[in-house]
Amino acid sequence: MLLLAVPYTNSGQDSGALFIEAQRLEESRKEAEALKKYQEVVKVQPHHIPALCKVSELYCLIGSRQQQKQSKIEHYRTARQYAETALKIN
Protein backbone atom coordinates (compact mmCIF):
# COMPACT_ATOMS: atom_id res chain seq x y z
CA MET A 1 0.00 0.00 0.00
CA LEU A 2 1.35 3.38 -1.02
CA LEU A 3 0.39 6.44 1.00
CA LEU A 4 1.07 9.94 -0.16
CA ALA A 5 1.51 12.69 2.32
CA VAL A 6 -0.32 15.79 1.20
CA PRO A 7 0.05 18.80 3.46
CA TYR A 8 -3.22 20.27 4.63
CA THR A 9 -3.49 24.03 4.71
CA ASN A 10 -6.35 26.04 6.01
CA SER A 11 -6.58 28.96 3.62
CA GLY A 12 -8.49 31.00 6.21
CA GLN A 13 -5.61 30.80 8.63
CA ASP A 14 -3.06 31.34 5.89
CA SER A 15 -4.83 34.43 4.61
CA GLY A 16 -5.14 35.77 8.15
CA ALA A 17 -1.43 35.38 8.81
CA LEU A 18 -0.59 36.92 5.45
CA PHE A 19 -2.93 39.83 6.13
CA ILE A 20 -1.27 40.52 9.50
CA GLU A 21 2.15 40.36 7.88
CA ALA A 22 1.00 42.79 5.18
CA GLN A 23 -0.30 45.18 7.85
CA ARG A 24 3.07 45.09 9.62
CA LEU A 25 4.87 45.84 6.37
CA GLU A 26 2.52 48.71 5.68
CA GLU A 27 3.04 50.13 9.18
CA SER A 28 6.80 49.98 8.51
CA ARG A 29 6.26 52.11 5.39
CA LYS A 30 7.16 49.22 3.10
CA GLU A 31 4.19 49.80 0.80
CA ALA A 32 5.48 47.82 -2.19
CA GLU A 33 6.15 44.76 -0.02
CA ALA A 34 2.81 45.16 1.75
CA LEU A 35 1.06 45.38 -1.61
CA LYS A 36 2.57 42.06 -2.69
CA LYS A 37 1.55 40.45 0.59
CA TYR A 38 -2.03 41.73 0.31
CA GLN A 39 -2.11 40.35 -3.23
CA GLU A 40 -1.06 36.99 -1.81
CA VAL A 41 -4.03 37.18 0.55
CA VAL A 42 -6.34 37.79 -2.40
CA LYS A 43 -4.77 34.90 -4.27
CA VAL A 44 -5.44 32.55 -1.33
CA GLN A 45 -8.86 34.03 -0.53
CA PRO A 46 -10.27 35.95 -3.52
CA HIS A 47 -13.25 37.32 -1.56
CA HIS A 48 -11.17 38.86 1.23
CA ILE A 49 -12.68 42.35 1.09
CA PRO A 50 -10.22 44.07 3.48
CA ALA A 51 -7.28 42.78 1.41
CA LEU A 52 -8.95 43.84 -1.85
CA CYS A 53 -9.46 47.32 -0.39
CA LYS A 54 -5.87 47.52 0.82
CA VAL A 55 -4.54 46.47 -2.60
CA SER A 56 -6.67 49.19 -4.17
CA GLU A 57 -5.52 51.76 -1.62
CA LEU A 58 -1.84 50.92 -2.05
CA TYR A 59 -2.05 51.00 -5.84
CA CYS A 60 -3.45 54.54 -5.52
CA LEU A 61 -0.77 55.56 -3.04
CA ILE A 62 2.08 54.12 -5.08
CA GLY A 63 0.53 55.46 -8.28
CA SER A 64 0.43 58.97 -6.90
CA ARG A 65 4.22 58.86 -6.57
CA GLN A 66 4.87 57.75 -10.13
CA GLN A 67 6.67 60.25 -12.31
CA GLN A 68 5.38 59.03 -15.65
CA LYS A 69 1.77 59.72 -16.50
CA GLN A 70 1.22 56.28 -18.09
CA SER A 71 2.49 54.54 -14.97
CA LYS A 72 0.12 56.62 -12.83
CA ILE A 73 -2.78 55.68 -15.08
CA GLU A 74 -1.91 51.98 -14.91
CA HIS A 75 -1.71 52.06 -11.12
CA TYR A 76 -5.03 53.89 -10.85
CA ARG A 77 -6.73 51.49 -13.27
CA THR A 78 -5.50 48.52 -11.27
CA ALA A 79 -6.67 50.18 -8.05
CA ARG A 80 -10.10 50.68 -9.57
CA GLN A 81 -10.31 47.03 -10.64
CA TYR A 82 -9.61 45.81 -7.10
CA ALA A 83 -12.09 48.31 -5.65
CA GLU A 84 -14.79 47.22 -8.10
CA THR A 85 -14.13 43.58 -7.23
CA ALA A 86 -14.59 44.37 -3.53
CA LEU A 87 -17.83 46.23 -4.28
CA LYS A 88 -19.22 43.32 -6.30
CA ILE A 89 -18.51 40.91 -3.46
CA ASN A 90 -19.98 43.19 -0.83
Side-chain angles (χ1 to χ4, degrees):
M1 180 197 269
L2 176 64
L3 295 175
L4 296 175
V6 178
Y8 171 77
T9 59
N10 182 338
S11 63
Q13 271 187 328
D14 291 343
S15 64
L18 288 169
F19 190 81
I20 290 169
E21 188 175 345
Q23 287 178 314
R24 288 186 185 139
L25 288 166
E26 189 178 4
E27 289 169 1
S28 299
R29 300 272 188 206
K30 298 179 180 179
E31 287 98 357
E33 292 175 47
L35 173 61
K36 289 178 185 176
K37 201 59 71 173
Y38 285 125
Q39 287 175 312
E40 287 181 40
V41 174
V42 173
K43 190 178 240 183
V44 171
Q45 195 174 351
H47 293 113
H48 195 290
I49 293 175
L52 288 164
C53 292
K54 279 297 192 178
V55 171
S56 177
E57 179 183 330
L58 286 172
Y59 264 111
C60 282
L61 180 65
I62 294 168
S64 71
R65 297 182 189 141
Q66 299 301 305
Q67 297 298 318
Q68 296 180 347
K69 185 177 180 179
Q70 188 58 38
S71 184
K72 281 183 185 263
I73 291 169
E74 289 172 14
H75 277 77
Y76 292 150
R77 282 184 181 153
T78 303
R80 183 178 177 172
Q81 289 172 345
Y82 278 95
E84 287 174 348
T85 300
L87 283 171
K88 287 178 188 174
I89 293 168
N90 194 18

